[in-house]
Amino acid sequence: MSVPKKSLNFIEQIIEDDLKNNYTREQLKFRFPPEPNGYLHIGHASSICLNFGLGLKYNAPVNLRFDDTNPTKEEKEYVDAIKRDVKWLGYKWAKECYASDYFQQLYDWAIEMIKNGDAYVDSQTSEAIAEQKGTPTTKGIESPYRNRTVEENLEMFEAMKNGETPEGRDVLRAKISMGAKNMLMRDPIMYRCLHKPHHRTGSEWKIYPMYDWAHGQSDYIEQVSHSFCTLEFQPHRELYNWFAKKVKVADKLKPKQREFARRNLSHTVVSKRKLLLLIEKGFVKSWDDPRMPTISAMRRRGYTPESIINFAESIGIGKRENTVSFSHLEFCVREDLNKKAQRVMAVLNPLKVVITNYPENKEEWLEAENNPEDESAGSRKVPFSRELYIEKEDFREEANRKFFRLKLGKEVRLKNAYIIKAESCVKDDDGNIIEVRCSYDKDSRSGSNTEASKRKVKGTLHWVSVNHAITAQVNLYDRLFKVENPSQDKDVDFLEHINPDSFQSITGYLEPSLANAKIQERFQFQRIGYFCVDKTSTSKQLVFNKTVGLRDSWKG
Ligand code: ATP
Ligand code: MG
């Protein structure tokens, strides 16, 4: 049988075509270029999977390049977080690079450009420069400083570099054309004065290169063959190529910029700037608050690297921007955890069950399978006794025939244990049910091979023994935003769409085997969902995060 061939996405098609025409396999090189001004989010995962995925596919190096050209927003903490996240996803970069390592080279090239009449120092205010830009249908106006002599430009650029020029006074601009159709080609700014210390170069530099100047040249220095970025950079491509021509040395490869569509996720925002605002305004606690769409938050919440990669691969690379449903991401998480997570029993909303015909001081340790999807996961013992907790919503005094859980006069099976029958219930003064009194069929123990054990009853419930249960803080999360696309409406602040009920913390009652659960360990609380031990958890106070709910309860 032939294996169906996966069709190439358009990026792979570009590479295949290039391999036929003008590139050798050995020349292929990619990079993932985050700006260290925040934590990586699920949108970045698409770019990471694209670039590192291509690296694996073509056996080509992929650099991790920090695009660190703006010291006002960038920090070492972000560099470390980004490295941690890419590593956790399972990818290995060929080289760890920094745009800041190229500051000197970029500066030297800028000098060359000034000497060749391709760049000049402009001393106008940023407002004046913006005004002269023109519009897509009208030409821009040339700066009165555009024809400064080379000597004057060199002198002034040096003063900028030495920090003698006050911030905001002069900029270095490429001399292209104020009449260019592409607005970005209208004498773009290459350098601005910024007297801020940089997390790597300290106070060595008083000028910092702009994105367009730094990015393409960094690609060139590293000899990246294909530089993939998101669609909004399409109009920048002309400038990318213009700069490349100015610095190109004959025998070196000229990198190729190509664009793909940004991926958005529903019910959240994927923009570092907006995520930072959520933290600053106190809507979430940190970059790794489990409600955030960051890779760090998803790790903390219990998502697996595989589920994130599967998600990125399943949505693929496209040419048109779209919003992917959060449910699809959760589907990928559930699918992976179903194979990996150990099953345990935990009750989050307890109702006491007393088995009146079960001896008072008796306890039994019953065999429970760890993962029906994975035989090698083995089994464990769970304690059973006369008093148990079940979920409140699993009992009703009366209910119709479709209610397969516990109701008066009817039977259910307790998972891994016995069949019980609800005989009566006890209520408090307000009429709330506080206890269910049951009888059990002592011959019906699961796996005991008796006739009674094989008896079919409709429902199966999870439970924990009251005396053996351990408690834990259980954090439940909901969507961070109430609407699918919080950033859609430009007139409404995205913060107005925040879901005020996205976080809830309750006490859960857990089977005792969980006492030794380690931070980051993932479990399926049977019939409820997947849960992961939070980083704040201690042996005295266990803390679990809900990763994702289960769509289905197990079949009776
Ligand atoms: P943000 O607006 O969140 O800061 P960014 O694009 O400015 O995003 P960078 O750190 O510059 O963030 O991004 C690194 C790489 O990841 C870039 O190549 C960028 O195009 C890509 N990327 C960022 N966001 C997304 C997204 N939502 N979908 C796909 N790729 C993305
Ligand atoms: Mg950015």
Side-chain angles (χ1 to χ4, degrees), residues 141-244:
I141 298 166
E142 292 189 357
S143 162
Y145 300 101
R146 199 171 195 264
N147 294 316
R148 274 180 164 145
T149 62
V150 168
E151 290 68 34
E152 197 183 351
N153 278 322
L154 287 174
E155 207 172 289
M156 293 190 75
F157 189 46
E158 171 133 27
M160 283 170 67
K161 183 198 182 224
N162 293 338
E164 291 150 22
T165 312
E167 273 189 15
R169 201 188 71 190
D170 296 347
V171 292
L172 186 74
R173 294 177 76 178
K175 196 171 181 176
I176 309 180
S177 163
M178 291 308 287
K181 257 213 185 98
N182 181 345
M183 300 273 290
L184 291 164
M185 299 297 280
R186 296 184 184 175
D187 291 8
I189 295 173
M190 293 171 66
Y191 278 98
R192 74 267 201 228
C193 298
L194 214 53
H195 301 174
K196 300 265 175 346
H198 183 281
H199 66 102
R200 295 188 80 243
T201 58
S203 48
E204 191 185 335
W205 291 91
K206 310 292 181 195
I207 51 172
Y208 290 93
M210 302 300 285
Y211 172 86
D212 287 302
W213 172 235
H215 199 90
Q217 286 29 264
S218 303
D219 288 338
Y220 177 64
I221 292 167
E222 291 170 25
Q223 285 289 283
V224 163
S225 61
H226 294 78
S227 174
F228 298 113
C229 56
T230 35
L231 278 186
E232 69 273 23
F233 289 100
Q234 204 156 35
H236 295 243
R237 200 204 280 182
E238 193 181 349
L239 182 55
Y240 184 98
N241 291 337
W242 189 87
F243 278 134

Side-chain angles (χ1 to χ4, degrees), residues 283-453:
F283 290 110
V284 296
K285 297 185 187 97
S286 56
W287 283 100
D288 69 349
D289 183 306
R291 290 167 292 178
M292 292 281 265
T294 58
I295 309 285
S296 299
M298 291 178 176
R299 170 172 60 237
R300 182 172 173 190
R301 188 164 173 175
Y303 288 23
T304 57
E306 293 78 9
S307 59
I308 293 173
I309 292 169
N310 289 345
F311 169 74
E313 281 179 356
S314 71
I315 61 179
I317 291 298
K319 290 186 185 176
R320 245 189 247 157
E321 209 171 301
N322 70 348
T323 299
V324 185
S325 139
F326 205 99
S327 303
H328 178 59
L329 173 60
E330 291 189 326
F331 168 84
C332 295
V333 174
R334 216 181 269 124
E335 193 182 43
D336 195 41
L337 288 176
N338 180 42
K339 291 182 261 173
K340 295 176 178 163
Q342 186 191 319
R343 274 56 171 168
V344 291
M345 293 199 283
V347 171
L348 300 187
N349 189 12
L351 172 64
K352 197 168 173 184
V353 163
V354 178
I355 302 172
T356 50
N357 58 339
Y358 193 88
E360 292 239 0
N361 295 317
K362 183 172 172 177
E363 67 172 39
E364 283 178 87
W365 287 77
L366 306 174
E367 195 81 17
E369 207 180 358
N370 283 337
N371 186 350
E373 302 291 322
D374 174 11
E375 232 175 80
S376 69
S379 64
R380 68 192 187 287
K381 303 264 191 194
V382 287
F384 187 86
S385 65
R386 181 181 154 95
E387 293 190 353
L388 310 169
Y389 288 131
I390 61 167
E391 300 287 348
K392 237 179 210 140
E393 50 275 23
D394 282 340
F395 173 74
R396 285 196 205 152
E397 281 182 274
E398 285 173 42
N400 66 23
R401 286 166 53 207
K402 285 192 186 132
F403 185 78
F404 294 137
R405 291 169 273 170
L406 191 60
K407 55 188 166 186
L408 285 182
K410 298 288 178 195
E411 289 185 324
V412 291
R413 171 167 292 285
L414 294 177
K415 181 74 181 163
N416 305 312
Y418 297 95
I419 294 172
I420 59 168
K421 181 175 174 186
E423 307 287 358
S424 64
C425 58
V426 181
K427 295 181 184 171
D428 66 11
D429 294 344
D430 299 324
N432 301 311
I433 299 166
I434 50 168
E435 190 178 301
V436 186
R437 301 183 74 80
C438 298
S439 57
Y440 86 122
D441 176 348
K442 66 177 176 27
D443 297 322
S444 65
R445 183 162 56 79
S446 300
S448 62
N449 231 355
T450 59
E451 279 309 304
S453 76

Side-chain angles (χ1 to χ4, degrees), residues 32-35 41 43-44 46-47 228 230 260 262-263 271-272:
F32 170 62
E35 182 182 354
H41 51 61
H44 292 114
S46 280
S47 176
F228 298 113
T230 35
F260 64 97
R262 234 164 226 281
R263 291 300 188 202
S271 146
K272 285 176 277 183

